[in-house]
Amino acid sequence: MIDLRLLREDPDRVRASQRARGEDVDIVDSLLAADELRRSSSVRFDALRGEQKQLGKQIPKATGDEKTALLQRAGELSAAVKAADAERDEAAARAQELLLGIGNLVHPDVPVGGEDDFTVRETLGTIRDFAAEGFEPKDHLELGQGLGAIDTERGAKVSGSRFYYLTGIGALLELALVNAAVAQATEAGFTPMITPALVKPRAMEGTGFLGQAAADVYHLEKDDYYLVGTSEVPLAAYHMEEILDADALPRRYAGFSPCFRREAGSYGKDTRGIFRVHQFDKVEMFCFVDPAEAEGELERLLAWEKQWLTSLELPFQVIDVASGDLGASASRKYDCEAWIPTQGKYRELTSASNCNEFQARRLQVRMREKGGAVRPLATLNGTLCAIPRTIVALLENHQQADGSVRVPQVLRPYLGGREVLEPVGR
């Protein structure tokens, strides 16, 4: 959540951020009013409680009419204190509710607009000219079926649309990607983590996924657990309600987990193959850092993502995501989009987000500075490898005319030295 002091001191900045996100601007004034009522009701409660305590000291010493009057006043105060306490609690709850409804402050350099208003930072790699090579590229599903790697028909039979099986070399390819990604992350100093897929509401809300993203989250109502859409959630909550020494920062974790997404609002989009699915595995980078280091850490996360995609020999572009397409927790986000030949466009494979102190305030993750002062730290997250989309990009970009697929050098040690994936039955 944002800092309430910042809201009081510079509400126009918060209004501008809400406007850039395309979110409710009036909530700022509603929160200011609720915060003022919370503070004034708290002052009133404290004053009445103080008078009540003083009266409690006077009554035993009083006699006669004076004692009668004091007892009458005590009764009045008791009722007033209860009413003030209820008013204070109600005002605090309302202020907290509104505060949770405000997204992180958008970084001033973020392009303003909707999904298509991003700016391209750079383009890397070379797009293949399949026409010059003399053949029409197949899409990932046709290639995957030919390799005996992807089975969407049985996935739909067993679980419904947007589910799939990775079979044979497809399963081995996922494991190769996971191992190669974790190896890169470990070499960069990340601690590998296998994280829970089920979390309590506190963890989900604390990371900002029960606001605008709530419709995309699976909730197990009987047990009041949420299925995570990314290991960002359990990684962010790993140090929930803890104080970390500044000297121990940064702390960097690479989490591997299944991810579950309802894909609300995506009806009719990317229905073929495994590009947009309800369940997939992912390796996610997550960092706890001093807020002064947050912008530099975002650039480092992006560099690690670029290193990964370059090692996979994929052509891709890096975009600065527009304000209206940011998640509630992110102040800035960079996406790496790989070229998908049969779609004729770049599609998102990884993202890196700077959440500043937003998630840490919600989850009460703080840092103790050298002088002993305690304050919220900053959190950042970055996709290293989302498995299905990476497989899509690999199959399509490295396919050969005979339906085989060339294996990038970085994956060969994890695939028994294979240089090429051959169609089944060959």
Side-chain angles (χ1 to χ4, degrees), residues 175-186:
L175 296 174
L177 285 166
V178 170
N179 279 288
V182 171
Q184 179 190 300
T186 303

Side-chain angles (χ1 to χ4, degrees), residues 23-31:
E23 299 289 339
D24 181 14
V25 177
D26 292 338
I27 193 175
V28 176
D29 291 317
S30 298
L31 177 53

Side-chain angles (χ1 to χ4, degrees), residues 54-55 57-74:
Q54 288 298 319
L55 204 61
K57 294 177 182 178
Q58 296 172 18
I59 289 174
K61 302 175 184 178
T63 59
D65 292 343
E66 181 185 4
K67 187 167 187 174
T68 301
L70 289 175
L71 287 170
Q72 181 179 350
R73 176 57 181 158

Side-chain angles (χ1 to χ4, degrees), residues 278-317:
H278 290 305
Q279 177 185 340
F280 60 96
D281 295 326
K282 180 158 68 86
V283 178
E284 179 84 1
M285 300 178 289
F286 196 89
C287 311
F288 296 90
V289 305
D290 185 315
E293 294 294 321
E295 291 198 24
E297 189 76 353
L298 180 62
E299 295 297 328
R300 287 185 282 273
L301 282 172
L302 177 59
W304 284 314
E305 293 178 351
K306 288 164 57 179
Q307 175 189 343
W308 171 245
L309 295 178
T310 299
S311 75
L312 294 177
E313 303 170 37
L314 296 174
F316 65 98
Q317 67 177 13

Side-chain angles (χ1 to χ4, degrees), residues 159-164 218 259-264 266 276-280:
S159 300
S161 62
R162 300 189 191 271
F163 286 92
Y164 61 98
Y218 285 103
C259 307
F260 303 88
R261 301 184 182 182
R262 296 182 65 239
E263 290 296 342
S266 66
R276 190 185 298 274
V277 292
H278 290 305
Q279 177 185 340
F280 60 96

Side-chain angles (χ1 to χ4, degrees), residues 115 139-141 152 160-164 261-279 337-338 340 342-349 388-389 392 396:
E115 182 179 357
D139 75 6
H140 74 277
L141 183 57
T152 54
S161 62
R162 300 189 191 271
F163 286 92
Y164 61 98
R261 301 184 182 182
R262 296 182 65 239
E263 290 296 342
S266 66
Y267 180 79
K269 296 180 182 177
D270 302 309
T271 55
R272 179 172 167 80
I274 62 171
F275 189 85
R276 190 185 298 274
V277 292
H278 290 305
Q279 177 185 340
E337 300 182 327
I340 307 299
T342 61
Q343 296 186 23
K345 57 185 175 182
Y346 291 100
R347 301 298 303 271
E348 178 194 341
L349 246 62
R389 290 193 177 194
V392 169
E396 293 207 11

